[in-house]
């Protein structure tokens, strides 16, 4: 069975998403980064899109008729500003040491209202929360916490001195949301993939406490930050609250989030307010 036909693989759900939205992607320029072996680029070509695959190790790209460029997110993607209509970052962001810079780079290469689709292991589900509590590991019992023995996935000094890290930089939905927001993106839709069995079993036990604690925090936050009006606080804190208690996120195996670029990243900072006005300097 091919990866994209296996419901246990995230490629299966990305394929379903692309076929469902084929009318939008047809004729569009789509950056596929990291492209890996090229399955997603092949699917993009099949539905009529113009894929631009990139990867730190393009040697693994196996699709004939499509060229994969070498790209290191640390140095930026080798395309001009506002080149792409969409960008797919599939199982990549958990490997990036500077995720904020990566998201700003994605913003740079996307056109206004461009689509950013990110998939990553769900660090916000209940299994992951319990794993972190017990051992700071991705999977308790079976996996050690990130370390220098298990977390170096690819190191080929004869090609590049850059290292392809393992899951050292796992990211939950709340951190992903705020970094994307600060980079000029808003969440369009959270796409549910598949249930994580352990998380489903934990759900009845922990959900009442999750709901209560997040509701209390939400109400307290509305009374703070007097410099912001109530409508703004309800909008921001309300979105955070809904993500915190979303059962699909709490039991899902993979985060699959579709973002829309609604600002250039360099415009975002102009709208921010600092909470520390003087830093003790007179």
């Amino acid at each position: 069975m091919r990866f994209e036909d296996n419901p246990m693989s995230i490629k299966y759900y990305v394929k379903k998403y692309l076929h469902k939205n084929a009318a939008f992607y047809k004729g569009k320029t789509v950056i596929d980064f990291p492209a890996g072996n090229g399955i997603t680029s092949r699917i993009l070509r099949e539905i009529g899109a113009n894929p631009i695959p990139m990867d730190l190790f393009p040697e693994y790209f196996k699709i004939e008729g499509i060229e994969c460029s070498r790209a290191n997110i640390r140095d930026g993607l080798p395309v001009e500003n506002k080149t792409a209509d969409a960008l797919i970052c599939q199982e990549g962001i958990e490997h990036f040491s500077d995720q904020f810079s990566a998201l700003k780079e994605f913003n740079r290469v996307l056109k206004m209202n461009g689509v950013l689709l990110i998939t990553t292991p769900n660090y916000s589900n209940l299994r992951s929360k319990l794993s972190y509590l017990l051992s700071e590991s991705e999977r308790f019992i079976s996996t050690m916490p990130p370390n220098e023995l298990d977390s170096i996935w690819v190191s080929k000094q004869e090609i590049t001195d850059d290292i392809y890290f393992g899951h050292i930089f796992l990211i939950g939905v709340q951190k992903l949301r705020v970094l994307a927001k600060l980079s000029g993106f808003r969440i369009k839709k959270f796409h549910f993939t598949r249930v994580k069995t352990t998380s489903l079993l934990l759900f009845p036990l922990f959900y009442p406490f999750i709901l209560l604690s997040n509701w209390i925090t939400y109400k307290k936050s509305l009374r703070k930050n007097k410099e912001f009006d109530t409508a703004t606080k309800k909008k921001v804190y309300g979105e955070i609250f809904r993500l915190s208690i979303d059962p699909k996120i709490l039991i899902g195996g993979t985060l699959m989030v579709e973002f829309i670029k609604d600002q250039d990243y360099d415009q975002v900072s102009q709208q921010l307010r600092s909470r520390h006005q003087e830093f003790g300097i007179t």
Side-chain angles (χ1 to χ4, degrees):
M1 180 183 294
R2 300 189 303 180
F3 283 115
E4 66 269 32
D5 297 324
N6 182 0
M8 298 297 290
S9 171
I10 186 59
K11 295 182 186 299
Y12 171 84
Y13 299 96
V14 172
K15 178 182 178 180
K16 284 183 61 176
Y17 162 83
L18 290 174
H19 279 278
K20 182 179 180 180
N21 295 279
F24 168 79
Y25 279 93
K26 185 176 182 179
K28 297 294 198 303
T29 298
V30 185
I31 294 174
D32 179 14
F33 175 79
N37 60 9
I39 290 175
T40 299
S41 287
R42 190 198 70 218
I43 295 170
L44 285 166
R45 183 175 61 181
E46 290 171 352
I47 65 174
N50 174 33
I52 302 179
M54 304 176 188
D55 200 280
L56 181 60
F57 295 102
E59 294 80 9
Y60 295 107
F61 192 84
K62 302 300 182 182
I63 306 302
E64 294 184 3
I66 306 178
E67 182 180 355
C68 182
S69 302
R70 189 180 306 280
N72 182 345
I73 190 61
R74 187 186 66 185
D75 301 325
L77 302 181
V79 292
E80 299 295 324
N81 294 351
K82 301 182 180 179
T83 294
D85 301 288
L87 189 152
I88 298 175
C89 182
Q90 186 177 176
E91 306 301 284
I93 197 164
E94 67 273 12
H95 304 281
F96 300 160
S97 59
D98 191 342
Q99 294 161 335
F100 183 41
S101 292
L103 287 162
K104 290 195 296 183
E105 179 66 3
F106 293 165
N107 182 287
R108 180 188 70 80
V109 302
L110 280 170
K111 299 174 184 177
M112 192 60 66
N113 298 314
V115 171
L116 171 62
L117 182 71
I118 290 180
T119 77
T120 187
N122 187 358
Y123 209 46
S124 295
N125 65 29
L126 291 174
R127 175 181 172 176
S128 293
K129 292 175 186 290
L130 180 60
S131 294
Y132 191 85
L133 173 66
L134 295 176
S135 65
E136 295 190 32
S137 168
E138 182 180 356
R139 294 188 299 273
F140 63 94
I141 299 177
S142 62
T143 303
M144 293 292 289
N147 62 81
E148 65 275 22
L149 300 182
D150 303 315
S151 302
I152 308 302
W153 282 15
V154 183
S155 178
K156 292 192 173 184
Q157 297 299 311
E158 69 276 15
I159 297 175
T160 174
D161 58 359
D162 290 297
I163 298 171
Y164 186 68
F165 293 103
H167 291 175
I168 296 179
F169 310 104
L170 286 164
I171 184 170
V173 68
Q174 298 289 5
K175 185 177 178 181
L176 180 59
R177 174 205 164 273
V178 70
L179 291 181
K181 189 72 176 178
L182 294 172
S183 305
F185 295 98
R186 61 175 172 84
I187 294 178
K188 177 184 178 183
K189 186 176 181 180
F190 169 77
H191 297 271
F192 183 70
T193 55
R194 65 184 180 89
V195 170
K196 204 71 173 178
T197 304
T198 305
S199 295
L200 183 61
L201 294 174
L202 292 169
F203 184 81
L205 176 63
F206 286 100
Y207 192 69
F209 300 100
I210 292 171
L211 184 62
L212 179 61
S213 63
N214 280 282
W215 173 252
I216 292 172
T217 305
Y218 169 68
K219 298 300 288 185
K220 284 184 176 180
S221 297
L222 289 177
R223 296 193 294 269
K224 298 177 181 179
N225 294 342
K226 301 297 184 180
E227 64 269 27
F228 295 103
D229 60 81
T230 301
T232 298
K233 289 189 287 187
K234 283 186 175 180
K235 180 180 178 181
V236 175
Y237 296 148
E239 181 179 17
I240 295 170
F241 173 69
R242 289 188 294 273
L243 290 173
S244 297
I245 65 169
D246 190 328
K248 291 182 178 179
I249 293 176
L250 292 169
I251 66 172
T254 302
L255 288 177
M256 183 171 172
V257 189
E258 186 177 7
F259 296 92
I260 298 293
K261 174 182 173 178
D262 57 8
Q263 294 186 83
D264 288 325
Y265 72 87
D266 55 356
Q267 296 177 339
V268 178
S269 60
Q270 300 174 19
Q271 305 166 19
L272 301 177
R273 300 184 189 180
S274 172
R275 294 197 63 186
H276 300 278
Q277 300 298 327
E278 299 180 1
F279 293 95
I281 300 174
T282 58

